[in-house]
Amino acid sequence: MIIKNGFLINPSTRQSRKMDLRITDGIISEIGPSLLASAKEEVLNIEGLTIAPGLIDTHTHFRDPGFPQKETLHTGALAAAKGGFTSVICMANTSPVVDSVPVLQDILSRASSEKIRIFQAASVSPSLNGQALTDMPALKEAGACGFTDDGIPLTNASLCYQAMQAAAALDVPVSLHEEDPAFIKNNGLHHGKVSRQMGLYGSPAVAEESLVARDGMLALRTNAHVVIQHISSGHSVELVRMFKLLGARIHAEATPHHFSLTEEAVLTHGTLAKMNPPLRTEEDRQAIIRGLKDGTIDLIATDHAPHTAAEKQKPFPNAPSGIIGLETALGVGITFLVRPGHLTLMQLLEKMTVNPARLYHLPCGTVETGRLADLLIFDPEERWIPNNFVSRSSNSPFKGTELFGKIKYTLCGGQIVYDSEK
């Protein structure tokens, strides 16, 4: 196949120019202007469109095994492809938990038949109990790309320290959900103006900040690659910035919802704006944007968290936290970060492609000869409205919201896995 006349943005080389790409056996075999196609080659003319590395999500929940009514590996893969993602890393809080080699191998075996690349993180502790470590070397050997008890914080500081030491020795990241339950009465809702209006005591920012401060110091002492997941507090951003300056190998994820929405969204969207950690204040949102601009926050991840409509229709305190995000992430990024001038399109894509690939040692995230032909083709100027999701769930506050950045094609290994015309 030859892809012709696309405007190539490649964050790994920081180059942007009009180029053709030749793909041979799933690999980018040639990049150059005005490539000539042989009689046997398919030609995809993308005049007027932008081509970039396929997106990589370091934080997603496919709910498989255990919760097929919410999502499966297959429906999650379809949602990822529609959103321009060619690689995702699934979290370990499934049922059973990904805390043993057989569970991990089962997921990876089934994932291999899907049309995108599905990587799997294993849990730090058995059954997410936070009291002991899993066999991290065996799980890494079996294919785990990192470790996390996401969904549940590691309140045992000594165990967290041991997990970081083990992860550093294995050269894989450990990712942390930073919410100390001791501070929280109703999760999924920021404790502030809106929670008081609703008559609820929610989750104060200090619940996150206290663990970020602790784990930044542990990261500094262990030299582990430590990821602060779905950062939500401006003070947390400042802490990450400080620990980076001190030399810690600390990273932070920002979700599209945390850089685009505030606690006020709960009044409009109800449980569709309930997530852990919660949406916070406009001041926090602006601090996250500043962290994205200066590189303090180096990853954008969706925390794609599907739930059934029935679950989300429960009263606010009883409904589960989380929203889907794979199909809207690029559009939200372009609409709320690029168009207002906070980030360039190159910078946005950097945090969604090459940075995650480098951190997790993934064989993708760049457009270069000899590399995998995992590609995203889109129109950054085209408006669209998300209404129909291919995910098994539809719990999104962005449903019906006009976004910019329409995905036209997603290619994984040189194969078209999403075509907006089909």
Side-chain angles (χ1 to χ4, degrees):
M1 172 190 286
I2 288 186
I3 302 174
K4 292 193 67 66
N5 303 316
F7 184 76
L8 172 62
I9 297 181
N10 188 17
S12 68
T13 60
R14 297 193 176 277
Q15 292 181 326
S16 56
R17 52 187 175 171
K18 194 169 185 178
M19 281 287 160
D20 297 347
L21 275 67
R22 172 172 275 118
I23 299 170
T24 306
D25 297 327
I27 303 296
I28 300 168
S29 56
E30 190 176 1
I31 302 173
S34 305
L35 298 182
L36 298 177
S38 69
K40 296 181 179 180
E41 282 184 307
E42 176 186 356
V43 176
L44 181 63
N45 189 340
I46 59 167
E47 182 73 47
L49 300 178
T50 297
I51 186 166
L55 304 181
I56 301 169
D57 190 1
T58 59
H59 187 161
T60 192
H61 300 268
F62 281 178
R63 309 298 193 199
D64 190 348
F67 307 97
Q69 73 277 18
K70 301 178 189 240
E71 198 78 284
T72 65
L73 291 177
H74 182 63
T75 60
L78 293 175
K82 185 179 178 183
F85 290 90
T86 52
S87 296
V88 299
I89 297 174
C90 290
M91 297 294 97
N93 58 340
T94 51
S95 182
V97 172
V98 188
D99 58 4
S100 68
V101 169
V103 174
L104 174 63
Q105 289 178 330
D106 167 67
I107 294 170
L108 293 178
S109 175
R110 291 185 292 112
S112 66
S113 65
E114 299 299 332
K115 293 182 178 180
I116 67 160
R117 305 182 199 281
I118 300 175
F119 301 92
Q120 181 65 56
S123 67
V124 170
S125 65
S127 301
L128 308 179
N129 63 22
Q131 299 303 311
L133 293 182
T134 54
D135 188 344
M136 293 172 67
L139 288 161
K140 162 73 183 306
E141 180 68 22
C145 64
F147 292 89
T148 180
D149 275 9
D150 176 53
I152 299 178
L154 290 172
T155 56
N156 184 325
S158 176
L159 183 79
C160 189
Y161 187 62
Q162 294 170 48
M164 289 186 195
Q165 289 176 312
L170 295 169
D171 192 26
V172 293
V174 59
S175 302
L176 301 172
H177 184 122
E178 305 289 54
E179 281 192 297
D180 189 334
F183 294 98
I184 302 169
K185 292 185 179 179
N186 289 280
N187 67 17
L189 174 67
H190 174 62
H191 183 63
K193 177 179 63 176
V194 172
S195 70
R196 288 190 289 271
Q197 186 175 334
M198 295 172 65
L200 297 171
Y201 190 104
S203 173
V206 70
E208 175 180 285
E209 296 154 1
S210 58
L211 289 185
V212 172
R214 182 200 74 179
D215 294 338
M217 186 55 68
L218 298 183
L220 185 63
R221 293 300 186 184
T222 60
N223 204 35
H225 280 290
V226 172
V227 181
I228 305 302
Q229 297 179 308
H230 39 47
I231 199 164
S232 69
S233 159
H235 289 318
S236 295
V237 177
E238 290 295 337
L239 286 165
V240 171
R241 185 178 287 116
M242 178 188 74
F243 282 114
K244 280 179 177 281
L245 289 172
L246 288 173
R249 298 202 292 181
I250 192 169
H251 310 268
E253 300 171 348
T255 70
H257 42 278
H258 283 114
F259 64 65
S260 63
L261 301 174
T262 68
E263 59 181 335
E264 302 283 347
V266 172
L267 299 175
T268 303
H269 301 287
T271 61
L272 294 183
K274 179 181 181 180
M275 68 280 296
N276 299 338
L279 301 171
R280 301 203 187 274
T281 67
E282 176 63 13
E283 184 179 358
D284 291 307
R285 188 180 79 87
Q286 291 297 332
I288 290 170
I289 290 173
R290 288 194 297 274
L292 287 163
K293 290 175 70 171
D294 70 11
T296 299
I297 301 172
D298 40 9
L299 307 169
I300 291 175
T302 70
D303 192 14
H304 177 81
H307 294 292
T308 66
E311 288 173 311
K312 280 294 193 178
Q313 287 166 2
K314 293 179 180 180
F316 196 95
N318 306 117
S321 293
I323 66 170
I324 60 171
L326 286 166
E327 296 173 58
T328 54
L330 181 65
V332 174
I334 291 172
T335 304
F336 289 89
L337 294 177
V338 176
R339 291 188 67 83
H342 301 307
L343 297 183
T344 65
L345 189 53
M346 179 79 76
Q347 291 170 322
L348 175 71
L349 291 169
E350 180 181 44
K351 297 173 192 296
M352 301 179 78
T353 61
V354 64
N355 285 359
R358 286 173 178 165
L359 177 60
Y360 282 90
H361 310 299
L362 305 182
C364 41
T366 186
V367 181
E368 298 176 63
T369 56
R371 302 296 292 270
L372 294 169
D374 291 3
L375 303 167
L376 161 67
I377 298 170
F378 66 106
D379 183 346
E381 301 298 327
E382 183 174 339
R383 305 176 191 222
W384 65 287
I385 297 176
N387 278 314
N388 299 311
F389 297 98
V390 297
S391 167
R392 187 157 283 185
S393 298
S394 60
N395 51 306
S396 171
F398 298 111
K399 187 174 183 179
T401 300
E402 184 178 80
L403 301 174
F404 287 85
K406 178 68 175 176
I407 294 164
K408 299 296 186 177
Y409 302 96
T410 305
L411 287 81
C412 189
Q415 300 298 310
I416 296 175
V417 296
Y418 173 73
D419 181 343
S420 64
E421 298 298 319
K422 294 182 179 179

